Amino acid sequence: MAHVNICLKRLLTIFNIFFAIIGGLIIGFAFLGQTLSYSHGGGNIEGRGTGLIVLYVFGAVTMVVAVLGAYGSHKENKGCLIAFLVCMVIGSLIMLRSGIPAATMRPMLAGILEQKIRTALPLDTASLEDRNMAESIQQELQCCGLFSYRDWEDSIPDTCLCNQAVEREGICQTIFTEHMERKVIYEKTCFPIVLQYVLLIADIVIGFFFTLAVLALLGLALSSVMIHQMRHGVRAPVMMAVPAIFSAMPPKYEELKNPPEY
C-alpha cells in the first residue's frame, strides 16, 4: 500500500474529531430543548417532537460519519475513506439545498410573520391557545399587545399592567379605556421584539447550514487528496546528481621533480 503524507493524515483525523464534537453539541442542544419543553409544558412536547427527533438523528449521523472518517484516515483504510467522501458529498449538497432557500426567504420573514400574527387579532376574541401565548410573551418581554395595546380592544389583561417598581423605570404609559378607567401599561409592543428574536434564530440557522456546508467541502477535499495519495503514493523529491567533472575536490597532481644531474 502506498503511504500518504503524515501531515495530511493528522489534519484529516483532527478534522473528524472536531466534526464529532459538533455532532455531540447538536445532541446536547436537542437534549436541552427537550428538557426545557418538559419543564415548561409539563411533559407535553407535541409539535416539537419532530424537530427534536431530527436534531437527535442529525447529531448521531454526524458523529458516526466523523468516526468513520477518523478511523479511515488513522488506519489508511481506503474503503472507510471512500464512504466518508460519499457522505461529505451528500452532506454538502443537503446543507446547500437547505441554506440557500433559507437565506433567500430571510428578507421576507418579517412580512410572513406579521401576516400570520394579524390573523389572530383581536386578541380578546382569539382562541385560548393564542391568548395564553400572547400573555406569556407579554409577561416575559414586558410589552403589551402585538402591534398595539388596542389589540386587546377594551379587555387589557393583567400581563400588560406595570407595577410600581417597573413604572419608575420609565417603560410604561398611562391610558384610559372606553369606560374611562385609568391603566398603566407597558409602552413597548411585542411584535418588534418577537421579530428581533425570530430573525436572530434565522441568522443562526442559516449560519449553521453554511458552516456545515463549508466543513463538508473541506472534508471532501482532504479525503479526496488522501485517497489519491493512497492510490499513487507520495512523490519523492528528486535529487540532482552532480557530475564528476564539477566535483568540489581538486584533481590530484603528481609532484614534478627535476631530473638528477650527472
Side-chain angles (χ1 to χ4, degrees):
M1 180 186 295
H3 292 286
V4 299
N5 187 286
I6 187 65
C7 294
L8 176 64
K9 179 179 177 179
R10 290 177 179 174
L11 182 61
L12 186 56
T13 303
I14 294 173
F15 169 83
N16 282 286
I17 292 174
F18 176 72
F19 214 56
I21 293 174
I22 292 178
L25 290 176
I26 293 173
I27 294 176
F29 181 76
F31 180 77
L32 178 62
Q34 183 178 3
T35 303
L36 292 176
S37 297
Y38 273 105
S39 62
H40 288 86
N44 182 14
I45 57 172
E46 184 179 358
R48 305 180 186 179
T50 304
L52 292 174
I53 291 174
V54 170
L55 287 177
Y56 277 123
V57 172
F58 187 79
V61 170
T62 301
M63 293 189 70
V64 170
V65 173
V67 171
L68 181 68
Y71 177 82
S73 61
H74 181 70
K75 297 294 184 179
E76 298 184 17
N77 189 305
K78 188 183 297 184
C80 291
L81 285 176
I82 292 175
F84 176 76
L85 175 63
V86 173
C87 292
M88 290 296 99
V89 173
I90 296 173
S92 60
L93 292 177
I94 292 175
M95 292 300 103
L96 291 175
R97 178 65 181 82
S98 303
I100 292 175
T104 305
M105 290 292 296
R106 201 269 186 193
M108 299 180 285
L109 193 59
I112 295 173
L113 183 62
E114 180 178 355
Q115 184 179 2
K116 183 177 180 180
I117 289 179
R118 285 192 180 276
T119 58
L121 300 181
L123 292 174
D124 60 329
T125 59
S127 64
L128 179 61
E129 182 180 359
D130 291 340
R131 291 201 307 270
N132 290 338
M133 181 177 296
E135 292 199 40
S136 176
I137 293 174
Q138 290 177 163
Q139 187 173 5
E140 291 291 333
L141 302 181
Q142 293 185 338
C143 53
C144 183
L146 296 174
F147 303 96
S148 169
Y149 69 89
R150 295 183 179 87
D151 294 340
W152 291 101
E153 297 292 342
D154 203 37
S155 303
I156 298 176
D158 293 340
T159 52
C160 279
L161 304 181
C162 296
N163 54 40
Q164 293 181 353
V166 176
E167 189 175 353
R168 287 193 294 267
E169 296 178 6
I171 60 174
C172 302
Q173 62 177 340
T174 302
I175 63 168
F176 291 91
T177 64
E178 293 181 359
H179 304 287
M180 299 306 295
E181 181 182 1
R182 180 179 179 276
K183 288 187 177 182
V184 181
I185 62 172
Y186 293 113
E187 185 177 5
K188 295 184 298 183
T189 56
C190 297
F191 179 75
I193 306 174
V194 172
L195 179 61
Q196 183 179 359
Y197 281 108
V198 170
L199 293 179
L200 176 62
I201 294 173
D203 291 337
I204 293 174
V205 171
I206 294 171
F208 174 78
F209 283 138
F210 282 104
T211 300
L212 286 185
V214 171
L215 290 176
L217 292 174
L218 178 60
L220 186 154
L222 292 175
S223 57
S224 298
V225 174
M226 189 168 180
I227 292 172
H228 176 77
Q229 290 187 358
M230 291 174 66
R231 288 179 176 175
H232 303 284
V234 181
R235 183 175 297 178
V238 179
M239 301 298 294
M240 300 297 294
V242 181
I245 58 175
F246 296 106
S247 176
M249 297 297 295
K252 294 182 178 181
Y253 296 95
E254 295 183 356
E255 184 179 358
L256 297 178
K257 296 182 180 180
N258 294 328
E261 296 181 356
Y262 296 99

